[in-house]
Tab-separated table of all heavy atoms in Angstrom:
chain	number	residue	atom	x	y	z
M	1	ASP	N	-44.992	22.299	-103.288
M	1	ASP	CA	-44.324	23.429	-102.652
M	1	ASP	C	-44.345	23.390	-101.160
M	1	ASP	O	-43.480	23.742	-100.460
M	1	ASP	CB	-44.899	24.731	-103.199
M	1	ASP	CG	-44.530	25.025	-104.658
M	1	ASP	OD1	-43.668	24.332	-105.171
M	1	ASP	OD2	-45.225	25.908	-105.218
M	2	LEU	N	-45.590	22.984	-100.678
M	2	LEU	CA	-45.794	22.904	-99.148
M	2	LEU	C	-44.833	21.844	-98.615
M	2	LEU	O	-44.187	22.145	-97.596
M	2	LEU	CB	-47.255	22.549	-98.934
M	2	LEU	CG	-47.644	22.512	-97.437
M	2	LEU	CD1	-49.182	22.874	-97.306
M	2	LEU	CD2	-47.418	21.220	-96.775
M	3	VAL	N	-44.718	20.689	-99.201
M	3	VAL	CA	-43.863	19.606	-98.702
M	3	VAL	C	-42.401	20.139	-98.742
M	3	VAL	O	-41.680	19.960	-97.802
M	3	VAL	CB	-44.033	18.313	-99.533
M	3	VAL	CG1	-42.939	17.324	-99.076
M	3	VAL	CG2	-45.450	17.763	-99.371
M	4	LEU	N	-41.997	20.744	-99.808
M	4	LEU	CA	-40.605	21.238	-99.904
M	4	LEU	C	-40.383	22.390	-98.901
M	4	LEU	O	-39.286	22.408	-98.256
M	4	LEU	CB	-40.288	21.752	-101.287
M	4	LEU	CG	-40.212	20.657	-102.358
M	4	LEU	CD1	-40.095	21.320	-103.749
M	4	LEU	CD2	-39.034	19.719	-102.099
M	5	GLY	N	-41.384	23.238	-98.625
M	5	GLY	CA	-41.344	24.228	-97.641
M	5	GLY	C	-41.198	23.614	-96.168
M	5	GLY	O	-40.413	24.146	-95.405
M	6	TYR	N	-41.892	22.562	-95.983
M	6	TYR	CA	-41.787	21.854	-94.660
M	6	TYR	C	-40.375	21.341	-94.457
M	6	TYR	O	-39.807	21.436	-93.373
M	6	TYR	CB	-42.809	20.739	-94.583
M	6	TYR	CG	-42.683	19.876	-93.343
M	6	TYR	CD1	-43.416	20.170	-92.189
M	6	TYR	CD2	-41.841	18.751	-93.328
M	6	TYR	CE1	-43.273	19.382	-91.070
M	6	TYR	CE2	-41.673	17.982	-92.170
M	6	TYR	CZ	-42.385	18.343	-91.009
M	6	TYR	OH	-42.247	17.537	-89.905
M	7	VAL	N	-39.816	20.718	-95.530
M	7	VAL	CA	-38.483	20.115	-95.480
M	7	VAL	C	-37.455	21.255	-95.182
M	7	VAL	O	-36.626	21.144	-94.305
M	7	VAL	CB	-38.093	19.347	-96.728
M	7	VAL	CG1	-36.631	19.001	-96.744
M	7	VAL	CG2	-38.961	18.093	-96.802
M	8	ASP	N	-37.573	22.394	-95.841
M	8	ASP	CA	-36.709	23.504	-95.606
M	8	ASP	C	-36.911	24.074	-94.152
M	8	ASP	O	-35.894	24.413	-93.500
M	8	ASP	CB	-37.076	24.700	-96.567
M	8	ASP	CG	-36.531	24.389	-97.997
M	8	ASP	OD1	-35.759	23.470	-98.184
M	8	ASP	OD2	-36.993	25.166	-98.933
M	9	ALA	N	-38.146	24.181	-93.730
M	9	ALA	CA	-38.396	24.645	-92.331
M	9	ALA	C	-37.814	23.683	-91.315
M	9	ALA	O	-37.250	24.124	-90.290
M	9	ALA	CB	-39.916	24.840	-92.143
M	10	LEU	N	-37.921	22.405	-91.538
M	10	LEU	CA	-37.384	21.398	-90.662
M	10	LEU	C	-35.826	21.525	-90.636
M	10	LEU	O	-35.224	21.446	-89.557
M	10	LEU	CB	-37.777	20.037	-91.109
M	10	LEU	CG	-37.347	18.809	-90.239
M	10	LEU	CD1	-37.888	18.987	-88.770
M	10	LEU	CD2	-37.867	17.532	-90.808
M	11	ASN	N	-35.210	21.705	-91.731
M	11	ASN	CA	-33.767	21.988	-91.790
M	11	ASN	C	-33.329	23.216	-91.043
M	11	ASN	O	-32.402	23.267	-90.291
M	11	ASN	CB	-33.277	22.018	-93.236
M	11	ASN	CG	-33.248	20.688	-93.884
M	11	ASN	OD1	-33.195	19.682	-93.269
M	11	ASN	ND2	-33.369	20.713	-95.262
M	12	ALA	N	-34.196	24.305	-91.140
M	12	ALA	CA	-33.922	25.549	-90.459
M	12	ALA	C	-33.993	25.334	-88.941
M	12	ALA	O	-33.192	25.839	-88.168
M	12	ALA	CB	-34.868	26.621	-90.931
M	13	VAL	N	-35.047	24.576	-88.472
M	13	VAL	CA	-35.180	24.276	-87.064
M	13	VAL	C	-33.940	23.427	-86.567
M	13	VAL	O	-33.343	23.822	-85.543
M	13	VAL	CB	-36.484	23.386	-86.809
M	13	VAL	CG1	-36.446	22.736	-85.415
M	13	VAL	CG2	-37.622	24.263	-86.990
M	14	ASP	N	-33.512	22.501	-87.327
M	14	ASP	CA	-32.326	21.729	-86.998
M	14	ASP	C	-31.114	22.572	-86.881
M	14	ASP	O	-30.368	22.523	-85.883
M	14	ASP	CB	-32.145	20.595	-88.100
M	14	ASP	CG	-31.035	19.665	-87.735
M	14	ASP	OD1	-30.993	19.217	-86.604
M	14	ASP	OD2	-30.204	19.313	-88.613
M	15	GLU	N	-30.842	23.451	-87.832
M	15	GLU	CA	-29.704	24.353	-87.757
M	15	GLU	C	-29.751	25.271	-86.577
M	15	GLU	O	-28.782	25.510	-85.895
M	15	GLU	CB	-29.616	25.166	-89.094
M	15	GLU	CG	-29.138	24.383	-90.246
M	15	GLU	CD	-29.181	25.167	-91.585
M	15	GLU	OE1	-29.203	26.398	-91.502
M	15	GLU	OE2	-29.185	24.501	-92.644
M	16	ALA	N	-30.971	25.870	-86.328
M	16	ALA	CA	-31.097	26.797	-85.208
M	16	ALA	C	-30.923	26.115	-83.900
M	16	ALA	O	-30.276	26.634	-82.943
M	16	ALA	CB	-32.513	27.451	-85.224
M	17	THR	N	-31.415	24.868	-83.789
M	17	THR	CA	-31.256	24.085	-82.534
M	17	THR	C	-29.837	23.758	-82.247
M	17	THR	O	-29.338	23.875	-81.155
M	17	THR	CB	-32.149	22.853	-82.614
M	17	THR	OG1	-33.527	23.208	-82.894
M	17	THR	CG2	-32.089	22.078	-81.302
M	18	ARG	N	-29.144	23.292	-83.315
M	18	ARG	CA	-27.695	22.969	-83.161
M	18	ARG	C	-26.892	24.191	-82.833
M	18	ARG	O	-25.849	24.054	-82.133
M	18	ARG	CB	-27.154	22.234	-84.357
M	18	ARG	CG	-27.706	20.847	-84.588
M	18	ARG	CD	-27.078	20.305	-85.752
M	18	ARG	NE	-27.803	19.250	-86.426
M	18	ARG	CZ	-27.225	18.199	-86.929
M	18	ARG	NH1	-25.954	17.948	-86.766
M	18	ARG	NH2	-27.951	17.296	-87.550
M	19	ALA	N	-27.220	25.326	-83.434
M	19	ALA	CA	-26.492	26.556	-83.119
M	19	ALA	C	-26.690	26.941	-81.658
M	19	ALA	O	-25.716	27.430	-81.057
M	19	ALA	CB	-26.959	27.659	-84.071
M	20	THR	N	-27.876	26.726	-81.125
M	20	THR	CA	-28.135	27.072	-79.694
M	20	THR	C	-27.621	26.044	-78.732
M	20	THR	O	-27.157	26.414	-77.713
M	20	THR	CB	-29.710	27.253	-79.514
M	20	THR	OG1	-30.149	28.160	-80.521
M	20	THR	CG2	-30.030	27.751	-78.171
M	21	ILE	N	-27.637	24.783	-79.149
M	21	ILE	CA	-27.132	23.708	-78.248
M	21	ILE	C	-26.137	22.891	-79.059
M	21	ILE	O	-26.432	21.846	-79.676
M	21	ILE	CB	-28.328	22.782	-77.835
M	21	ILE	CG1	-29.477	23.551	-77.265
M	21	ILE	CG2	-27.821	21.739	-76.817
M	21	ILE	CD1	-30.727	22.773	-77.014
M	22	PRO	N	-24.880	23.356	-79.033
M	22	PRO	CA	-23.809	22.775	-79.876
M	22	PRO	C	-23.557	21.264	-79.634
M	22	PRO	O	-23.076	20.552	-80.448
M	22	PRO	CB	-22.547	23.577	-79.612
M	22	PRO	CG	-23.108	24.831	-79.057
M	22	PRO	CD	-24.353	24.560	-78.373
M	23	SER	N	-23.970	20.750	-78.414
M	23	SER	CA	-23.704	19.347	-78.098
M	23	SER	C	-24.695	18.431	-78.857
M	23	SER	O	-24.459	17.196	-78.819
M	23	SER	CB	-23.824	19.157	-76.611
M	23	SER	OG	-25.162	19.414	-76.213
M	24	LEU	N	-25.738	19.022	-79.474
M	24	LEU	CA	-26.667	18.198	-80.205
M	24	LEU	C	-26.018	17.548	-81.436
M	24	LEU	O	-25.440	18.279	-82.237
M	24	LEU	CB	-27.927	18.954	-80.662
M	24	LEU	CG	-29.022	19.294	-79.664
M	24	LEU	CD1	-30.167	19.905	-80.376
M	24	LEU	CD2	-29.498	18.067	-78.900
M	25	GLU	N	-26.160	16.196	-81.592
M	25	GLU	CA	-25.659	15.627	-82.776
M	25	GLU	C	-26.744	15.564	-83.863
M	25	GLU	O	-26.507	15.547	-85.041
M	25	GLU	CB	-25.201	14.200	-82.494
M	25	GLU	CG	-23.896	14.195	-81.708
M	25	GLU	CD	-23.381	12.809	-81.504
M	25	GLU	OE1	-23.565	11.915	-82.415
M	25	GLU	OE2	-22.712	12.566	-80.462
M	26	ARG	N	-28.036	15.482	-83.386
M	26	ARG	CA	-29.218	15.450	-84.274
M	26	ARG	C	-30.363	15.973	-83.551
M	26	ARG	O	-30.397	16.033	-82.264
M	26	ARG	CB	-29.427	14.010	-84.808
M	26	ARG	CG	-29.674	13.101	-83.649
M	26	ARG	CD	-29.673	11.680	-84.055
M	26	ARG	NE	-29.978	10.924	-82.827
M	26	ARG	CZ	-30.078	9.628	-82.743
M	26	ARG	NH1	-29.942	8.956	-83.812
M	26	ARG	NH2	-30.368	9.059	-81.637
M	27	LEU	N	-31.454	16.397	-84.239
M	27	LEU	CA	-32.599	17.014	-83.679
M	27	LEU	C	-33.269	16.112	-82.624
M	27	LEU	O	-33.743	16.591	-81.622
M	27	LEU	CB	-33.571	17.384	-84.771
M	27	LEU	CG	-34.632	18.397	-84.418
M	27	LEU	CD1	-34.057	19.674	-83.773
M	27	LEU	CD2	-35.428	18.764	-85.680
M	28	ALA	N	-33.260	14.794	-82.857
M	28	ALA	CA	-33.902	13.895	-81.982
M	28	ALA	C	-33.298	13.904	-80.554
M	28	ALA	O	-33.958	13.467	-79.585
M	28	ALA	CB	-33.838	12.446	-82.558
M	29	ASP	N	-32.119	14.391	-80.454
M	29	ASP	CA	-31.426	14.503	-79.142
M	29	ASP	C	-32.159	15.419	-78.186
M	29	ASP	O	-31.992	15.335	-77.013
M	29	ASP	CB	-29.992	14.870	-79.222
M	29	ASP	CG	-29.157	13.804	-79.966
M	29	ASP	OD1	-29.618	12.633	-80.055
M	29	ASP	OD2	-28.090	14.106	-80.415
M	30	VAL	N	-33.017	16.314	-78.757
M	30	VAL	CA	-33.850	17.154	-77.924
M	30	VAL	C	-34.647	16.326	-76.955
M	30	VAL	O	-34.848	16.620	-75.737
M	30	VAL	CB	-34.745	18.061	-78.792
M	30	VAL	CG1	-35.842	18.739	-77.932
M	30	VAL	CG2	-33.930	19.190	-79.511
M	31	LEU	N	-35.179	15.164	-77.412
M	31	LEU	CA	-36.055	14.327	-76.564
M	31	LEU	C	-35.200	13.803	-75.391
M	31	LEU	O	-35.705	13.803	-74.298
M	31	LEU	CB	-36.594	13.167	-77.408
M	31	LEU	CG	-37.577	13.459	-78.452
M	31	LEU	CD1	-38.073	12.191	-79.108
M	31	LEU	CD2	-38.722	14.282	-78.023
M	32	ASP	N	-33.948	13.403	-75.671
M	32	ASP	CA	-33.127	12.895	-74.565
M	32	ASP	C	-32.834	13.977	-73.579
M	32	ASP	O	-32.798	13.716	-72.310
M	32	ASP	CB	-31.779	12.354	-75.116
M	32	ASP	CG	-32.051	11.166	-76.092
M	32	ASP	OD1	-33.031	10.406	-75.859
M	32	ASP	OD2	-31.179	10.989	-76.955
M	33	LEU	N	-32.594	15.242	-74.041
M	33	LEU	CA	-32.338	16.305	-73.134
M	33	LEU	C	-33.503	16.649	-72.249
M	33	LEU	O	-33.382	17.022	-71.099
M	33	LEU	CB	-31.902	17.536	-73.905
M	33	LEU	CG	-30.528	17.439	-74.663
M	33	LEU	CD1	-30.297	18.745	-75.456
M	33	LEU	CD2	-29.433	17.155	-73.705
M	34	VAL	N	-34.726	16.532	-72.787
M	34	VAL	CA	-35.951	16.742	-72.039
M	34	VAL	C	-36.192	15.615	-71.045
M	34	VAL	O	-36.400	15.821	-69.899
M	34	VAL	CB	-37.163	16.889	-72.982
M	34	VAL	CG1	-38.439	16.858	-72.182
M	34	VAL	CG2	-37.065	18.239	-73.705
M	35	ARG	N	-36.010	14.380	-71.543
M	35	ARG	CA	-36.253	13.169	-70.660
M	35	ARG	C	-35.248	13.147	-69.510
M	35	ARG	O	-35.619	12.716	-68.426
M	35	ARG	CB	-36.216	11.930	-71.493
M	35	ARG	CG	-37.441	11.841	-72.400
M	35	ARG	CD	-37.491	10.545	-73.138
M	35	ARG	NE	-38.660	10.603	-74.011
M	35	ARG	CZ	-38.736	10.285	-75.271
M	35	ARG	NH1	-37.673	9.881	-75.915
M	35	ARG	NH2	-39.834	10.378	-75.961
M	36	SER	N	-34.036	13.586	-69.741
M	36	SER	CA	-33.024	13.520	-68.680
M	36	SER	C	-33.186	14.686	-67.695
M	36	SER	O	-32.607	14.735	-66.679
M	36	SER	CB	-31.616	13.556	-69.246
M	36	SER	OG	-31.390	14.834	-69.845
M	37	ARG	N	-34.040	15.693	-68.098
M	37	ARG	CA	-34.338	16.917	-67.314
M	37	ARG	C	-33.140	17.695	-66.898
M	37	ARG	O	-33.029	18.383	-65.989
M	37	ARG	CB	-35.095	16.519	-66.039
M	37	ARG	CG	-36.453	15.958	-66.294
M	37	ARG	CD	-37.247	15.687	-64.989
M	37	ARG	NE	-38.582	15.236	-65.217
M	37	ARG	CZ	-38.919	13.981	-65.537
M	37	ARG	NH1	-37.918	13.081	-65.604
M	37	ARG	NH2	-40.145	13.584	-65.701
M	38	GLN	N	-32.040	17.514	-67.736
M	38	GLN	CA	-30.788	18.206	-67.406
M	38	GLN	C	-30.721	19.610	-68.084
M	38	GLN	O	-30.308	20.542	-67.392
M	38	GLN	CB	-29.579	17.423	-67.846
M	38	GLN	CG	-29.419	16.146	-67.107
M	38	GLN	CD	-28.270	15.305	-67.646
M	38	GLN	OE1	-27.865	15.440	-68.725
M	38	GLN	NE2	-27.833	14.335	-66.823
M	39	ILE	N	-31.145	19.680	-69.324
M	39	ILE	CA	-30.934	20.969	-70.073
M	39	ILE	C	-32.250	21.625	-70.378
M	39	ILE	O	-32.399	22.834	-70.239
M	39	ILE	CB	-30.111	20.783	-71.277
M	39	ILE	CG1	-28.694	20.232	-70.888
M	39	ILE	CG2	-29.965	21.984	-72.103
M	39	ILE	CD1	-27.787	19.949	-72.026
M	40	LEU	N	-33.181	20.829	-70.854
M	40	LEU	CA	-34.422	21.360	-71.482
M	40	LEU	C	-35.676	20.893	-70.632
M	40	LEU	O	-35.738	19.742	-70.229
M	40	LEU	CB	-34.595	20.977	-72.922
M	40	LEU	CG	-33.593	21.449	-73.916
M	40	LEU	CD1	-33.821	20.890	-75.266
M	40	LEU	CD2	-33.569	22.958	-73.971
């Protein structure tokens, strides 16, 4: 149940992040946005 909850929570993070930053193609793009120091 914990593992399935983690997977659900990870999906919720992904959805919330994409809703806030529509240009994101995938959650890993957060790293690029931070490293480029442009948005995050």
Side-chain angles (χ1 to χ4, degrees):
D1 290 346
L2 186 152
V3 174
L4 292 171
Y6 174 92
V7 170
D8 286 346
L10 184 57
N11 287 334
V13 164
D14 186 45
E15 287 174 19
T17 303
R18 289 185 206 220
T20 305
I21 308 169
S23 63
L24 281 187
E25 288 183 32
R26 58 190 183 179
L27 197 53
D29 294 343
V30 166
L31 296 183
D32 296 333
L33 295 177
V34 168
R35 289 184 181 132
S36 68
R37 295 184 177 81
Q38 292 175 341
I39 297 177
L40 296 175

